[in-house]
Every structure is written in C-alpha cells, then in structure tokens.
Amino acid sequence: MPARTVLQQADISRALTRMAHEILESNRGTDGLILLGIPTRGVVLARRIAHLITQFSGESVPTGALDVTLYRDDLRRNPTRVPSPTQVPSGGIDGKTVVLVDDVLYSGRTIRAALDALGDIGRPRVVRLAVLVDRGHRELPIRPDFVGKNLPSSQEERINVRLTDIDGEEFISIGGTS
Amino acid sequence: MRHLLSTRDLSRDQAVAILDVAEDMADVATREVKKLPALRGKTVVNLFFEDSTRTRISFEAAAKRLSADVINFSAKGSSVSKGESLKDTAQTLAAMGADAVVVRHPSSGAPSVLAQSGWIDAGIVNAGDGTHEHPTQALLDAFTIRRRLHRSAARGRDLSGTTVTIVGDILHSRVARSNVWLLTTLGATVRLVAPPTLLPVGISRWPVQIGYDLDEAVSAGSDVVMMLRIQAERMHAAFFPNAREYSRRWGLDDARLARLGASTIVMHPGPMNRGLEISSGAADSTQSTVREQVSNGVSVRMAVLYLLLSGEREELS
C-alpha cells in the first residue's frame, strides 16, 4: 500500500499553534516552564513550540534536548545505538514544569526511558508530555497531555513525520508496510 | 565493534564516533546522578597481569558508571602466580559469564591472542600489552586535544591541521605507538623527538617526522607536546648516559615551557617522573592537561565499553 499524506505543512503548523496555546493555558503563563525535546525530531518541535509561545506571551521559554538512548529497555535487542547530546537549560530542571516533546507516541517506551533520564538530571515539579502524533498501541501506562493529532493506525503501518528543519520537506504520512 | 585491540584497526569515522560518544559520557560526569543504566546486568572483568593504578581504576569507574558489574583480577595473589596459563584463566572468566575483559599484559599481542583464541566469547579491550599498544590512552589523548582545541564545538571533528610532538622513550612506549596510528588517522601531523637509542628499528616506515633535538622542535612550534615517561622497569640497557643528561637534553623544563608559548598544550600519560622528563612547573602549568587526561579517560572508556557491550553481539567476521 502506498503511503498517504494525512497532514500537510499548514495542518502541522496549526496543530503546533494549538498545542502552544494549550501549554500556556495549563501552565497559566510561562512561569517555570521548560520544553525538552527528544532527539531528533522532538528537539525541533520543542524549539518551534517555544517560539510560538514566545510570540503569544512575549516571554521566552528555555528549551533543550533530552537523549534517552542510554535508558532504553531494548538496547541489547538491537544493533548498538549512538546517543545524541543532551542539553539542559542553564537553570536546571529542579522545581520546574518540564514538558517533554516528541514527534510520535507509540508504545510509550521512549517516554518511560525519558522519565528515567529526567530523574537522573534533577527533580522537576511536574512533567507533562506533548506529542505531534498519537498513534495508539500503548504498551505502558503512559498518556500524553497535549496532542497535535490522534492517528488511529494498524501496527503494520508506518507513520512518517518529515519536518523542514531536518528533512527539507514537511508532512505526515501513513501507510506502506515497514 | 567487537573488540578494541589496536588503534591501527580504527577508521577515521569509527574513531570520531567513539570520541563523540565520549562527549555524551563526559556530560554525565557533570550531572547530579553520575550513573547510566545502559550496561545493567553485564559483567566487566579487569584482567591485569601488570601493575597499574590509573588505567584499572579508570576502567572500573567507567564500567560502574554504566551500571555494569566489575570484577578486578590482578595476577599478583592469584592462581597465575601458581603457574596458571592464560588459556585456563580465560576459560575460568568465560565460565563466570564475563561479557567484556579488559586486559593488561606484559607481552605484546596477549589481548589479540585472547580475542582470536575461542577460549572466551567476551569482548576484549586492550589496556596495554607489552610495547605494542594502549588504544584507550590514545583515544583519551585525542579526546583531550580535540576538547582543548574546539571546546563545545568538538563533536564530529577530527584533528586535521594539528601538529603533535611526542617526546621521549618511543622504543618502549605503547602509548606512543597507539597515538601515532590514531592521531595520523584523525588527520594530525605527528613528530617524534627522542635520543636515537630510544627509537625502534623500522621507524622510517611510520607515518611520522623524526627529530633528535628537543630545542629544535620547541623552536619549530607545535600545537601539542606530549612527554613520555622514562620507563625505568624496561630500561635493561644503557640507552642514555644518565638521568641528568637525559633531563637536560630531552626533558621539558621551565625554560623550554616558556619558549613554547601559551597556546601549546602539554600532555603526559602519567605516572610522571617530575624533574626527569617534565619539570614540576610544566606539569602544573595551565597548559598542562595531565589531570584533564585522567578525567577524560573515564569518559572515553565509558564510550568504548558502551559501544562494545550494548546491542546485539556482532557475528565473528
């Protein structure tokens, strides 16, 4: 089955805009807010959401990257994975509201690893989860707080997220057996 | 990567990849919790047939920071002193379920014997074998140079355009050999300065420039000057008249340090003979990376153990 595009660039921008408003609303402003993206596409999304929040509120939001490679539970089942850099904003995360940002939420195992990684860096006041796509099939009791788009999918299908900053084109497609 | 036996086997991209992972590992050392769960349930054996403090402790710290279990084995006080062979020792370790064995041995080639023997299935890391190689030392030296030169923009870069001068006992130095291969692979120019008696036979085939006069080398300038230890335990012949003459001609004293200029990095793999190959002034100066080398050693060894032990084991090729 050929892949079919489900979200165009404009749809992605709209979803991110709504998520930025929702994050602002639930946090009642930008106080103590930190966005941490999970490499690679989560980092780009975190930066974009932070930029939008700055536009709407006039206040800047610290962003960073949280690499979860060394905390994964499937390290010994796959070929060696090379970690990406972790960048935590200079103020640290203790007592802050940390919003984890990723592109696709699937089994929930990446987020489990991210929560463990976060615990070794500090102790945030609250941790929230923002994902661009929630495709279902959770294997752990984890749920997102901010969702760009719910995409019910079959486990055989592939969700493909492309972002301009990384891929030079922007859309989300579904289908094509992986 | 299945084993790390020699820096000669590493390609430029492999070497840069190890250094990049080491950057991530170095970040861990700055955190509140200096531990990663990546190697939980793996067992690393430090098999040391030769004395060592910093290398063994460094590997131990690296394995523990990755949550692996560590077993330290030193030949003194073990069955090796009763005459047990390397084969039997290896098979004992295999039976105990070792996933990686870090070997230091006085005989060149002992780690590669272990890796190719089939006595043990574990990944083998060479932690210094005779006068052959000491690959993790060269990796940590390259890492230290790259960090000093490029700071936070070091990821992904090699050492092209850098000149490294290695001074001293090249003949007995496994550190020098590993560094020559690795630094050359990474694009650096390597210059060796030593008394002619302390250069090995066949050195003309190495990819290096050779000099005999340290003052000439100091005048020529260099990005990095790496002083080697005079290895008294391997000095079984008269390689130079006496220590004072060696120190005067090939030692990095305060006067030579002053002529080198403030941007030159001064390195020493340790342990240092202060006053012989390096003066206290040079060892403790701000240009000296001696202590950085020790802390970077842990990060680099974490990277090596992680790349060796995580993931499915590669099939023997």
Side-chain angles (χ1 to χ4, degrees), chain B residues 212-255:
Chain B
Y212 306 101
D213 189 337
L214 181 56
D215 284 313
E216 232 169 62
V218 166
S219 305
S222 182
D223 298 305
V224 180
V225 174
M226 187 185 295
M227 305 307 297
L228 297 175
R229 182 170 67 92
I230 288 298
Q231 305 189 33
E233 74 275 20
R234 296 188 218 274
M235 292 289 168
H236 302 305
F239 294 103
F240 47 82
N242 60 50
R244 277 179 59 202
E245 176 164 344
Y246 179 87
S247 175
R248 204 173 310 135
R249 294 196 54 185
W250 289 284
L252 183 63
D253 54 22
D254 297 352

Side-chain angles (χ1 to χ4, degrees), chain B residues 169-238:
Chain B
D169 181 3
I170 311 291
L171 178 62
H172 298 102
S173 177
R174 51 198 179 206
V175 175
R177 282 172 182 75
S178 284
N179 263 309
V180 165
W181 306 124
L182 181 70
L183 296 175
T184 312
T185 303
L186 287 171
T189 307
V190 180
R191 206 190 299 149
L192 303 179
V193 176
T197 48
L198 287 176
L199 287 170
V201 174
I203 198 163
S204 53
R205 289 194 300 274
W206 291 15
V208 294
Q209 302 164 14
I210 297 161
Y212 306 101
D213 189 337
L214 181 56
D215 284 313
E216 232 169 62
V218 166
S219 305
S222 182
D223 298 305
V224 180
V225 174
M226 187 185 295
M227 305 307 297
L228 297 175
R229 182 170 67 92
I230 288 298
Q231 305 189 33
E233 74 275 20
R234 296 188 218 274
M235 292 289 168
H236 302 305

Side-chain angles (χ1 to χ4, degrees), chain A residues 66-67 69-72 74-88 94 112 116-123, chain B residues 1 17 20-21 24-25 27-28 31-42 66 155 306-314:
Chain A
L66 180 70
D67 185 66
T69 310
L70 298 162
Y71 293 85
R72 298 194 74 94
D74 57 356
L75 277 176
R76 59 191 60 195
R77 309 235 231 122
N78 292 298
T80 306
R81 290 168 184 263
V82 177
S84 308
T86 288
Q87 283 151 359
V88 179
D94 287 344
R112 202 269 324 151
D116 282 357
L118 216 49
D120 281 358
I121 296 171
R123 186 178 183 282
Chain B
M1 203 163 70
D20 286 354
V21 174
D24 297 319
M25 298 299 179
D27 290 345
V28 173
R31 303 188 327 197
E32 208 168 285
V33 180
K34 297 176 183 54
K35 208 163 170 92
L36 292 165
L39 297 186
R40 236 173 36 176
K42 303 276 187 184
L66 290 168
R155 275 192 178 83
Y306 171 73
L307 292 172
L308 222 64
L309 286 180
S310 77
E312 289 171 313
R313 295 303 303 277
E314 285 169 44

Side-chain angles (χ1 to χ4, degrees), chain A:
Chain A
M1 193 177 77
R4 107 190 112 86
T5 302
V6 282
L7 263 75
Q8 306 284 356
Q9 181 157 22
D11 305 321
I12 294 175
S13 299
R14 225 177 350 257
L16 290 177
T17 306
R18 179 174 48 74
M19 288 164 76
H21 280 296
E22 283 173 0
I23 290 169
L24 260 178
E25 191 179 40
S26 80
N27 193 56
R28 297 191 182 87
T30 56
D31 250 13
L33 192 63
I34 290 179
L35 302 186
L36 287 182
I38 297 172
T40 20
R41 290 186 178 73
V43 180
V44 173
L45 291 172
R47 251 184 261 132
R48 278 170 64 174
I49 293 174
H51 184 71
L52 290 165
I53 291 179
T54 308
Q55 273 182 13
F56 305 143
S57 67
E59 282 164 65
S60 69
V61 180
T63 58
L66 180 70
D67 185 66
V68 305
T69 310
L70 298 162
Y71 293 85
R72 298 194 74 94
D73 59 6
D74 57 356
L75 277 176
R76 59 191 60 195
R77 309 235 231 122
N78 292 298
T80 306
R81 290 168 184 263
V82 177
S84 308
T86 288
Q87 283 151 359
V88 179
S90 52
I93 60 167
D94 287 344
K96 304 284 174 62
T97 301
V98 172
V99 179
L100 294 172
V101 184
D102 204 1
D103 52 355
V104 180
L105 179 60
Y106 186 17
S107 65
R109 288 178 191 269
T110 303
I111 304 305
R112 202 269 324 151
L115 292 172
D116 282 357
L118 216 49
D120 281 358
I121 296 171
R123 186 178 183 282
R125 193 177 66 84
V126 210
V127 182
R128 308 262 185 242
L129 174 60
V131 293
L132 184 56
V133 174
D134 180 357
R135 64 170 296 188
H137 305 290
R138 215 77 75 238
E139 293 164 6
L140 295 170
I142 281 170
R143 61 162 180 77
D145 301 282
F146 312 103
V147 182
K149 174 84 177 164
N150 282 299
L151 268 186
S153 61
S154 128
Q155 278 187 297
E156 276 72 55
E157 282 171 323
R158 228 186 118 70
I159 306 273
N160 193 9
V161 176
R162 313 279 284 172
L163 297 172
T164 318
D165 311 46
I166 293 173
D167 311 295
E169 51 184 354
E170 187 151 314
F171 59 81
I172 298 172
S173 65
I174 184 170
T177 40
S178 49

